[in-house]
Amino acid sequence: MIANIVKPGHKTRGVLNYLYGPGRANEHTDPHLVASWDDFAPDPGRDPEATLAQLTTALDLRVKQAGDKAPKEHVWHCSVRAAPEDRPLSDEEWAAVARRLLNATGIAPDGDPDACRWVAVRHAEDHIHIVATKVRGDLRPPRNWNDFLRADKELVAIEKEYGLRQVPRGDRTAAKRPTRAEQEKARRTGNARTSREHLRTIVRTAVSAATTTAEFFRIIEGTGALVDVQCFPSGDVRGYKVALNDDTNAQGEPVWFSGSTLAPDLSYPKIAERLTATEAIPAVRSGAPAWRRFALAVDQTPDHLAHDEDEAGQAHISVLAEALDALPLVAPVGLRPQLVQAATVFERAARSRIRAQHQQTQATRCAVKAVLREPAPQDGAVLTIVLDALLLAVIAAQHWHRTRAHHQQAEAARQTITHLRSAYQAAATESLTTLRQRGARLTETVRRRQENTLRRALPELAEQILAEPGWPALASTLARAEAVGHKPTALLTEATARRATDTATSLSEVLTWRLHRLADLTDLTADTTSTAPAPRSAAYSPTNTGGSRGREHRRVPMTNGPATPPRATASWGPR
């Protein structure tokens, strides 16, 4: 059950006209009162003798008595809606809900003879509207500060008592939803998204790509959007606002949105905090080092979420959101729709009431920005390895939010997992086929050696993995890792120790890509069928799995170097 308290108005009759009218799409049926301040208010819906004018006069009585002392915006309007799966409530139950909310918000406290006048109107099975005039019997305004939070707290108790769905509560960190006017404008102009939503995507992607605030503004301008930077008299930047070039008001002026109205973490101070904590992007001559560093950095996210302080954990989730925002820019065209959906949904999971310590995530953030400045990998295995790491990181983020009762963020992470799995499955098909074919070509001696390795390293999971269709791919990966000097048993032990496997749909596939990341086996063109291992000059060394507080594992030293802003692409430019 949710409550929506709209901005106060000054026309009582206008609100009643809507509540007793047919609705915008003729959705209102049988409008009638379920309760009122004294249970004797005229009901134009059920009483043929009553009129809207009479009900308006009764509600506005004290407003007129207060005269100039009455607030100009004196109409308090709250709608209360049950969840779609909830049982239908009777008029008496809705009346009780209305009285409890009015008491909780301070509009009409129980037993107060001077409480504000109010009515509760029902014109649909699943919700009611409560309308009150904000002048008490003593002609003073009610004490209804923080009325939304009070109402929401009361609804939690109502849901439990009435056996209704317990709606996950937010923490006031969600981005502002588009208004009805914005939605109608988008519909009229034939756009799938509102300007607010489109600008939010542009700004979030610019944050993921930029290394400085100046570059952040240049990237936004490069998409064709308008940017207005406000400065203090000293010349320091105070804030910014953005607009779409083709979105204008009735006067033909651009419709501007400040960063903080797009999302709480897109205000200039918070963006500057993230970019200030970013080290210079290193000069990388080829795409492989940047993409490997990116995969390793994302792969360490679950460890940080499991062991770091909450402030550092929140910072790693923020960087994970930046990684998801950046990936559609360099991914193959066929994968972009699912990746864009994943980034859009995870945006809600990127924020909580916990203040992020962005200094703890410099290496990960630099890795994200580095891949945007390097050519996209031609080998599909590289992207599959990255997607697998992202999938595991989002699963860890879901668990992190759930254990802290961040219900909306956990749900957003769950939805993100669905989109990422679709992208992963599409990207992994060709690479897994290659690995399975290679596994089928292994000699009997090599195949048995890898089976024995699996049973020694993972005795409880071995039979399950051997029965999966992905076992040949894992066997070929183990053989290749052994051939280039790694210890397969140590790799398997590390791969399962560092991540939970109970959420995997295919253990063999998960382990295949984890081993590729740990042993840097990104080149699938190298076919290894040798029965003898190569010299162990590049032997694998297990990393610390106990987590570190305030620093990252396997941090790559950074060097100063020039950074070229990534090219703006149509996937996130203006409509």
Side-chain angles (χ1 to χ4, degrees):
M1 188 172 283
I2 58 174
N4 180 33
I5 301 175
V6 301
K7 185 178 179 181
H10 64 280
K11 293 183 179 180
T12 307
R13 177 64 181 268
V15 176
L16 295 177
N17 283 340
Y18 168 72
L19 299 184
Y20 279 93
R24 293 185 175 91
N26 293 316
E27 72 275 21
H28 296 174
T29 59
D30 187 24
H32 61 278
L33 291 183
V34 295
S36 65
W37 72 94
D38 62 357
D39 289 329
F40 291 103
D43 182 5
R46 294 285 178 86
D47 183 358
E49 302 296 328
T51 65
L52 286 175
Q54 291 173 342
L55 182 56
T56 303
T57 300
L59 282 170
D60 281 344
L61 176 63
R62 290 170 178 170
V63 177
K64 295 187 180 301
Q65 290 174 343
D68 294 339
K69 294 182 180 181
K72 183 178 180 181
E73 307 294 331
H74 64 268
V75 180
W76 187 84
H77 180 193
C78 172
S79 61
V80 188
R81 185 179 299 273
E85 62 270 28
D86 285 340
R87 63 176 177 82
L89 300 183
S90 66
D91 282 357
E92 291 73 19
E93 289 174 315
W94 276 120
V97 169
R99 290 189 174 92
R100 291 180 62 167
L101 291 181
L102 288 161
N103 174 65
T105 57
I107 295 293
D110 290 342
D112 185 353
D114 288 329
C116 297
R117 293 192 166 197
W118 59 272
V119 294
V121 179
R122 183 179 189 179
H123 56 208
E125 189 176 67
D126 62 348
H127 71 276
I128 61 170
H129 292 258
I130 307 171
V131 180
T133 46
K134 296 175 59 178
V135 178
R136 291 167 42 82
D138 53 16
L139 303 186
R140 293 184 302 169
R143 299 174 62 87
N144 67 310
W145 296 286
N146 290 326
D147 50 4
F148 175 78
L149 295 179
R150 295 180 186 178
D152 200 50
K153 184 178 180 179
E154 186 65 24
L155 287 178
V156 173
I158 291 173
E159 289 169 349
K160 293 179 180 178
E161 293 177 24
Y162 283 57
L164 305 177
R165 176 193 171 191
Q166 297 184 26
V167 178
R169 257 58 198 188
D171 54 8
R172 306 184 75 183
T173 61
K176 185 177 180 181
R177 295 179 180 178
T179 65
R180 180 181 289 272
E182 292 170 0
Q183 294 173 343
E184 292 294 339
K185 185 176 184 180
R187 196 172 295 112
R188 289 196 309 270
T189 55
N191 293 308
R193 295 185 296 171
T194 65
S195 297
R196 184 190 301 272
E197 294 168 318
H198 192 67
L199 287 168
R200 185 183 301 134
T201 300
I202 291 177
V203 173
R204 291 192 66 85
T205 310
V207 172
S208 71
T211 58
T212 65
T213 54
E215 186 181 18
F216 165 70
F217 293 130
R218 288 200 303 270
I219 291 175
I220 295 177
E221 290 175 339
T223 68
L226 306 177
V227 183
D228 182 13
V229 181
Q230 295 98 40
C231 298
F232 292 109
S234 62
D236 295 333
V237 176
R238 177 170 60 89
Y240 74 99
K241 56 184 180 179
V242 291
L244 294 179
N245 191 41
D246 58 351
D247 183 27
T248 57
N249 57 21
Q251 290 73 40
E253 301 169 339
V255 178
W256 295 99
F257 295 87
S258 66
S260 59
T261 61
L262 295 177
D265 59 343
L266 296 183
S267 66
Y268 178 77
K270 293 189 176 180
I271 288 176
E273 181 183 2
R274 279 191 274 174
L275 296 181
T276 301
T278 305
E279 297 177 352
I281 299 297
V284 182
R285 294 183 178 180
S286 66
W291 280 89
R292 171 160 170 74
R293 191 164 70 250
F294 179 43
L296 289 176
V298 174
D299 192 45
Q300 294 160 13
T301 299
D303 290 332
H304 291 296
L305 295 179
H307 300 104
D308 287 0
E309 301 291 345
D310 280 0
E311 291 77 7
Q314 178 59 58
H316 283 286
I317 290 179
S318 298
V319 176
L320 180 57
E322 293 179 24
L324 292 170
D325 288 330
L327 199 57
L329 301 179
V330 290
V333 175
L335 298 180
R336 287 180 186 174
Q338 287 293 347
L339 293 177
V340 169
Q341 284 294 323
T344 301
V345 174
F346 194 76
E347 183 263 343
R348 179 64 191 98
R351 294 182 302 274
S352 73
R353 302 295 290 181
I354 299 173
R355 183 177 178 83
Q357 290 183 351
H358 294 293
Q359 293 82 0
Q360 310 298 327
T361 57
Q362 291 178 351
T364 306
R365 182 169 278 111
C366 287
V368 172
K369 298 178 188 301
V371 297
L372 294 177
R373 290 160 172 79
E374 296 298 325
Q378 299 300 313
D379 187 353
V382 176
L383 184 59
T384 303
I385 291 169
V386 169
L387 287 174
D388 179 68
L390 284 169
L391 188 56
L392 293 171
V394 174
I395 291 173
Q398 180 191 19
H399 176 74
W400 190 87
H401 280 306
R402 185 185 293 135
T403 57
R404 288 156 182 80
H406 300 165
H407 302 295
Q408 291 185 352
Q409 290 89 335
E411 173 60 20
R414 186 195 66 78
Q415 295 177 21
T416 304
I417 292 168
T418 301
H419 296 295
L420 277 181
R421 276 210 175 103
S422 296
Y424 161 78
Q425 290 167 356
T429 301
E430 182 177 353
S431 299
L432 282 173
T433 299
T434 300
L435 290 172
R436 287 169 182 167
Q437 292 172 349
R438 186 173 299 166
R441 295 197 301 269
L442 292 175
T443 64
E444 184 67 21
T445 301
V446 174
R447 188 180 301 112
R448 288 191 176 184
R449 185 165 71 242
Q450 303 313 326
E451 290 179 5
N452 292 333
T453 297
L454 179 67
R455 289 191 170 95
R456 285 195 308 270
L458 307 174
E460 298 86 0
L461 301 174
E463 297 306 320
Q464 176 184 344
I465 294 173
L466 289 171
E468 291 180 351
W471 162 242
L474 178 57
S476 66
T477 302
L478 288 169
R480 185 179 170 207
E482 183 180 31
V484 298
H486 291 289
K487 297 179 179 179
T489 303
L491 278 174
L492 282 172
T493 302
E494 171 73 356
T496 52
R498 297 180 63 231
R499 301 287 184 272
T501 56
D502 53 356
T503 59
T505 56
S506 173
L507 287 176
S508 54
E509 287 187 23
V510 169
L511 293 174
T512 294
W513 299 121
R514 290 184 190 178
L515 264 58
H516 274 79
R517 282 197 298 278
L518 292 171
D520 192 18
L521 306 176
T522 55
D523 184 9
L524 293 190
T525 61
D527 192 357
T528 302
T529 57
S530 173
T531 59
R536 301 181 181 274
S537 58
Y540 168 74
S541 176
T543 59
N544 174 25
T545 62
S548 64
R549 297 187 183 274
R551 61 187 179 85
E552 298 196 12
H553 306 302
R554 287 198 225 116
R555 179 161 177 164
V556 181
M558 297 296 179
T559 59
N560 293 328
T564 303
R567 296 186 299 273
T569 64
S571 63
W572 59 292
R575 297 169 303 192

